[in-house]
Amino acid sequence: MSAEITLFVNPTAGRGRGAHAAQPAASALRDAGFSVRTVVGADGPDALARLRAAVRAGTGAVIAVGGDGMVSLALQAVAGTLVPLGVVAVGTGNDFARATGLPVRDPARAGRLAAEALKAGRIREIDLGRVTPGAGVSGGAVASGGGGDGTWYGTVLCSGFDSRVNDRGNRMRLPVGKFKYDLAMIAELAAFRPFPYRITLDGGPVIETEATLVAVGNGSSYGGGMRICADAEPDDGLFDVTVVGDCSRATLLKVFPRVYRGTHLSHPKVTVHRAAKVTLEAAGITAYADGEPLGPLPVGAECVPGALRLLS
């Protein structure tokens, strides 16, 4: 393993926490005898291009400092390679760190854990989801270095009511911050209706159903601790697919708060499937994964076992 470690930093994550969190992480790595190179891009595509270059050059590990968006970018570079990933979770949601048992908003501890894992060779292989546009799912071997078709994700692919809230919030210029999405949710509730879905699991028969949302979980939560796929495990080779059925507005308002505890899964309008390959089709719905927009349905998602080597 190379002694040079790449610190992949989003300085604006968590309202500026990313810039401060990089310092104790870098110190912990240097104290453990590693040299540290920091990668900060001008924007997302530039940052990813720089990180991919570091991976190709043979960096010993990548340590992503930021939130789930930064982890998502890092996955596009390291998935399917031998380069391990560490996470210093200082963003707003931090669902990837929660799902994998890593420290949240404790950069010094996260940095020490990554350094200790590197010294001890303590690496956990976990699954990732890989999303391809269109209704088909590509098979074959894991793409090297995030190359090939598809986008990698570590937590949850969501579609339906929750993605419509994201769409509306992203279009709103004001207000700023989380309140914008609260207002977007109120607006979407006013226009709420279930969506006609076509769902295919592991190449089986098409399930045609009216659904409020469909979430495909490699991890258990999204949105900063909303346990939409509460029983999902990131190393079992399968997705947990949560389908919230044709709820009324009143039922949705009653059930939705339970998602923070994961107790919504027992509601009669909620069904959970387990599958390695999933296709989702519905008109007018955008898919999001790790909180990032992927594009309109249809999409296919494949659970790729052991696609990521995680420092833990």
Side-chain angles (χ1 to χ4, degrees):
M1 177 183 292
S2 168
E4 182 178 89
I5 306 303
T6 300
L7 206 61
F8 188 46
V9 181
N10 179 0
T12 64
R15 297 180 182 178
R17 283 191 294 267
H20 297 292
Q23 298 170 10
S27 295
L29 290 162
R30 291 188 178 108
D31 289 346
F34 296 100
S35 62
V36 177
R37 175 192 176 201
T38 301
V39 169
V40 181
D43 53 25
D46 179 58
L48 179 55
R50 292 169 183 265
L51 184 62
R52 281 179 165 152
V55 170
R56 287 194 301 269
T59 186
V62 171
I63 312 296
V65 182
D68 288 325
M70 203 61 175
V71 173
S72 179
L73 265 185
L75 293 181
Q76 311 315 311
V78 302
T81 75
L82 295 177
V83 176
L85 177 70
V87 177
V88 178
V90 290
T92 303
N94 304 310
D95 289 289
F96 182 86
R98 286 190 178 91
T100 52
L102 297 175
V104 173
R105 294 182 187 168
D106 189 343
R109 180 174 163 229
R112 289 195 301 271
L113 185 149
E116 291 164 3
L118 280 167
K119 293 286 280 188
R122 194 171 64 240
I123 293 173
R124 176 187 177 192
E125 292 190 350
I126 68 168
D127 310 334
L128 293 177
R130 182 170 58 185
V131 185
T132 54
V137 179
S138 62
V142 176
S144 176
D149 294 333
T151 300
W152 298 97
Y153 75 94
T155 56
V156 177
L157 183 157
C158 70
S159 68
F161 176 75
D162 43 8
S163 66
R164 291 290 287 266
V165 170
N166 268 326
D167 283 343
R168 185 180 289 268
N170 290 341
R171 293 193 302 266
M172 294 168 61
R173 297 183 63 186
L174 293 173
V176 297
K178 187 177 182 297
F179 187 52
K180 175 169 65 175
Y181 292 94
D182 293 337
L183 288 180
M185 180 176 288
I186 292 169
E188 283 299 321
L189 277 170
F192 173 74
R193 58 177 176 78
F195 310 100
Y197 271 88
R198 290 168 54 86
I199 305 168
T200 308
L201 306 173
D202 287 334
V206 174
I207 301 169
E208 298 196 27
T209 187
E210 295 277 322
T212 299
L213 64 87
V214 180
V216 182
N218 183 59
S220 56
S221 69
Y222 64 176
M226 299 169 67
R227 295 173 54 78
I228 188 68
C229 300
D231 296 330
E233 296 288 346
D235 57 3
D236 63 357
L238 294 171
F239 293 127
D240 278 30
V241 184
T242 301
V243 181
V244 180
D246 57 343
C247 294
S248 66
R249 187 180 293 110
T251 300
L252 181 59
L253 284 169
K254 182 178 180 180
V255 172
F256 204 74
R258 294 169 56 179
V259 77
Y260 287 97
R261 301 186 303 276
T263 56
H264 64 293
L265 297 182
S266 63
H267 193 277
K269 287 291 187 180
V270 179
T271 306
V272 178
H273 308 273
R274 306 193 77 223
K277 294 183 180 181
V278 181
T279 63
L280 302 178
E281 301 174 70
I285 300 296
T286 303
Y288 284 74
D290 290 342
E292 303 296 318
L294 294 174
L297 300 187
V299 298
E302 177 184 8
C303 183
V304 182
L308 178 69
R309 291 162 54 81
L310 183 70
L311 298 172
S312 63

